[in-house]
Amino acid sequence: MRELVAEPGLGLTPLDDAELDVPLRGAHSIEIADAARWLRPGSVMLTTGLRLATAGPDDPGWDALAESLAGARVAALLFGTGVVFDEVPPGLRRAARSHGIPLVAVAPEVPFVRIEEAVTRGVLAGESYLLRRTVWLQDDLLGALVSTDPTGTLMVRLGALARGAAALFDASGRAVSATGAAPFRLIADEITHAGPAFTVGRWEVRHRPLRIGPSDYDLVIASRDPRVLDDLGDDLLRTAARVLAAANSVRMLTADQERLEAGRLLSALLAGLPPSRVRQTWERLRAFGFRPGEALRMIRWDAPEPSRPGHSHRSADAVEDPPRLLVLEDPDPGVPGISATALIADDRPGARWLDTAAATGAAGASGPFTDLTACPERAEEAGTAHRLARRRGGPVRLDEIDYATWLSATRDGDPRATDRFERQFGELARSPDLVATAVTYLACDQDVRAAGRRLVVHPNTVRYRLRKVEALLGARIGAAATVANLYLAFHEEIERARAPAATDR
């Protein structure tokens, strides 16, 4: 209204300290009864007072008119002088003051149509500005989608537009991503019981709850200039919420595509890669963060894939580097116990990922390698390590176990090995005391006295039982071949007994 009054040539004079800082949505010239019925909120009414031409200063019609306009939330009443009344009637001025209706006199020479056109131009310009501003905000914030860190980039842009700070809080009140110097901890405490707008110290805050995927969040902007939030706050929060939803959709689509491509690539590696395609395959692996020629490991495990720490959100807490890996779920249903196979970089993030995988199930890893044509053989190594992990627990890296352990693992599931064990060691295996004596004797590095202490028997009892073992095997217990055969046949039992045996000597 203030801009309309200031426009040259309209002949407008505010009366009685009229409030002019009110937005206008339209202007209508009306000379009929019940005028407020035809006016929408925010519009101005233009009249010459024709309907009340005979009304005196105390006529109740003036008050009824002002009251109805106030009820309709009309922005102002513009009264044309020099047509019916030479000046604005005092009864109307008194009623307008009473009901808080801004009253403006229109000069006799100014036709109402000119004022209507001016208001229309201003309204259209205002709506055009709002439209341009919305498009500009959307364009600026949507630019975050092309960033490698969409959420962090969005918070930086949001904080800059708010001339302050911005943050995304999760349901626990943790700042998942934040930028600016606002007191985020205090803001997080207020969000749970405050409305959409509140104040923390010198900071004006606006927030909007939203859901991204299965999780709930709060989007927050804060500024020390309340005018910025009054003007842009709702638009900023609404547009940023849409950008976050779009970023989540893009992230999910990208993750699905990457998972599918990773499975295809790993399937090709497991099927066997000819030397002519090694260079091309390294280039395909580069898209997943691998560096040509770096050391790799093949992994097999039987639990859900552990979560991968990454940089999807920026926060004050340090974020671990994500592992670089390809995953193929259920690659070989014929191999019992294995639910997935992975190719992973042999580095610290990869080691952390393997430890996490082993926390919920058996996980086995091949030795490190760089030759992509060796992937099928390395996958078999990982399967052997997986069998050991199922018996021993924890992650098993095949390059960290000894030859005997590896040899015993490779025989698992081989019926010929089972039949051979039965023929050579079956009778001994059915004598628990003799097995315990032989195992303890070898775990104590063939020290009869140490074995006796472990078994809580006299050393002569140990010697007696060992002679019975010799009789069953038909070989001397001290012979290298006999020791080797017993060690391989009862390897796991000997290794379990070895650690306490060392403390007994």
Side-chain angles (χ1 to χ4, degrees):
M1 188 67 199
R2 185 177 298 280
E3 294 174 2
L4 183 68
V5 169
E7 187 166 333
L10 293 186
L12 301 179
T13 303
L15 303 177
D16 303 322
D17 297 325
E19 172 58 49
L20 301 180
D21 292 322
V22 291
L24 305 183
R25 299 184 60 189
H28 305 281
S29 177
I30 300 178
E31 301 289 358
I32 61 175
D34 196 14
R37 174 184 173 188
W38 309 100
L39 298 170
R40 65 174 179 169
S43 61
V44 297
M45 174 181 169
L46 295 99
T47 182
T48 61
L50 179 62
R51 193 178 62 84
L52 295 170
T54 61
D58 297 324
D59 192 295
W62 301 117
D63 191 75
L65 174 61
E67 183 179 10
S68 65
L69 295 180
R73 292 182 294 159
V74 170
L77 176 60
L78 275 60
F79 194 91
T81 59
V83 180
V84 178
F85 294 90
D86 291 334
E87 59 182 18
V88 179
L92 178 59
R93 296 179 67 164
R94 185 169 54 251
R97 285 196 304 270
S98 176
H99 292 284
I101 298 294
L103 186 59
V104 178
V106 183
E109 69 275 9
V110 179
F112 283 174
V113 67
R114 187 184 300 172
I115 298 174
E116 291 174 346
E117 290 174 350
V119 172
T120 301
R121 286 196 305 271
V123 169
L124 290 177
E127 291 178 350
S128 177
Y129 162 73
L130 292 176
L131 178 60
R132 290 196 306 271
R133 187 182 72 176
T134 300
V135 172
W136 169 68
L137 289 176
Q138 291 177 347
D139 183 65
D140 188 271
L141 295 180
L142 282 170
L145 286 178
V146 300
S147 168
T148 56
D149 178 15
T151 304
T153 302
L154 178 65
M155 291 303 108
V156 170
R157 296 190 177 197
L158 197 58
L161 290 170
R163 298 182 186 177
L168 183 68
F169 293 102
D170 63 16
S172 68
R174 183 178 67 92
V176 176
S177 181
T179 182
F184 290 119
R185 292 188 181 277
L186 297 177
I187 290 174
D189 292 340
E190 290 292 326
I191 285 177
T192 56
H193 55 269
F198 56 92
T199 302
V200 174
R202 297 169 57 191
W203 292 84
E204 294 292 327
V205 182
R206 302 287 187 275
H207 79 102
R208 179 188 181 100
L210 65 152
R211 177 172 283 265
I212 304 176
S215 304
D216 293 319
Y217 295 89
D218 260 292
L219 182 61
V220 174
I221 53 176
S223 177
R224 290 180 176 177
D225 186 350
R227 294 173 300 176
V228 174
L229 298 190
D230 290 341
D231 184 34
L232 292 176
D234 290 342
D235 286 341
L236 283 175
L237 290 173
R238 182 170 55 252
T239 304
R242 291 172 179 171
V243 172
L244 283 171
N248 182 64
S249 298
V250 170
R251 187 164 48 245
M252 292 177 62
L253 177 61
T254 302
D256 289 342
Q257 291 175 334
E258 287 184 351
R259 190 176 296 110
L260 182 61
E261 174 61 19
R264 290 172 178 167
L265 182 52
L266 186 51
S267 293
L269 290 170
L270 293 174
L273 191 69
S276 60
R277 297 188 60 189
V278 168
R279 184 173 181 178
Q280 176 187 359
T281 304
W282 273 118
E283 289 302 315
R284 292 178 65 187
L285 287 170
R286 193 192 295 272
F288 294 91
F290 292 92
R291 295 183 292 272
E294 72 175 324
L296 309 170
R297 287 183 187 268
M298 198 68 74
I299 313 291
R300 283 196 163 181
W301 80 97
D302 55 14
E305 182 185 351
S307 60
R308 307 185 196 181
H311 300 286
S312 59
H313 298 302
R314 182 191 307 173
S315 69
D317 302 325
V319 182
E320 296 178 349
D321 291 331
R324 293 170 291 132
L325 77 164
L326 306 180
V327 175
L328 179 62
E329 296 182 0
D330 197 16
D332 189 356
V335 179
I338 296 178
S339 64
T341 296
L343 179 72
I344 193 166
D346 186 32
D347 55 11
R348 290 181 63 183
R352 287 195 298 266
W353 182 90
L354 180 59
D355 291 339
T356 304
T360 55
S366 72
F369 66 98
T370 58
D371 182 6
L372 295 183
T373 64
C375 284
E377 294 80 7
R378 299 305 184 181
E380 291 183 7
E381 283 189 6
T384 300
H386 174 264
R387 288 192 293 273
L388 286 170
R390 294 188 72 184
R391 295 202 301 260
R392 296 168 49 172
V396 172
R397 297 168 175 83
L398 204 63
D399 55 310
E400 297 177 359
I401 64 173
D402 58 30
Y403 177 77
T405 303
W406 171 82
L407 189 62
S408 66
T410 59
R411 297 188 319 227
D412 285 356
D414 187 344
R416 295 173 299 177
T418 302
D419 179 66
R420 181 69 183 183
F421 179 89
E422 173 61 29
R423 284 189 285 116
Q424 187 166 354
F425 299 105
E427 192 172 354
L428 174 61
R430 287 186 285 275
S431 302
D433 287 346
L434 297 183
V435 170
T437 300
V439 165
T440 305
Y441 172 69
L442 293 175
C444 293
D445 295 330
Q446 299 169 272
D447 186 330
V448 171
R449 293 185 179 278
R453 289 194 295 270
R454 287 288 312 280
L455 295 169
V456 196
V457 297
H458 195 277
N460 287 337
T461 302
V462 175
R463 296 186 180 95
Y464 171 74
R465 291 178 181 176
L466 291 177
R467 286 195 293 271
K468 294 186 70 173
V469 171
E470 291 177 330
L472 289 176
L473 298 180
R476 218 166 31 87
I477 192 69
T482 305
V483 172
N485 286 329
L486 284 171
Y487 184 78
L488 292 175
F490 298 96
H491 175 263
E492 292 186 24
E493 293 86 345
I494 293 170
E495 288 302 309
R496 283 196 296 267
R498 182 177 295 277
T503 63
D504 291 339
R505 290 195 297 275

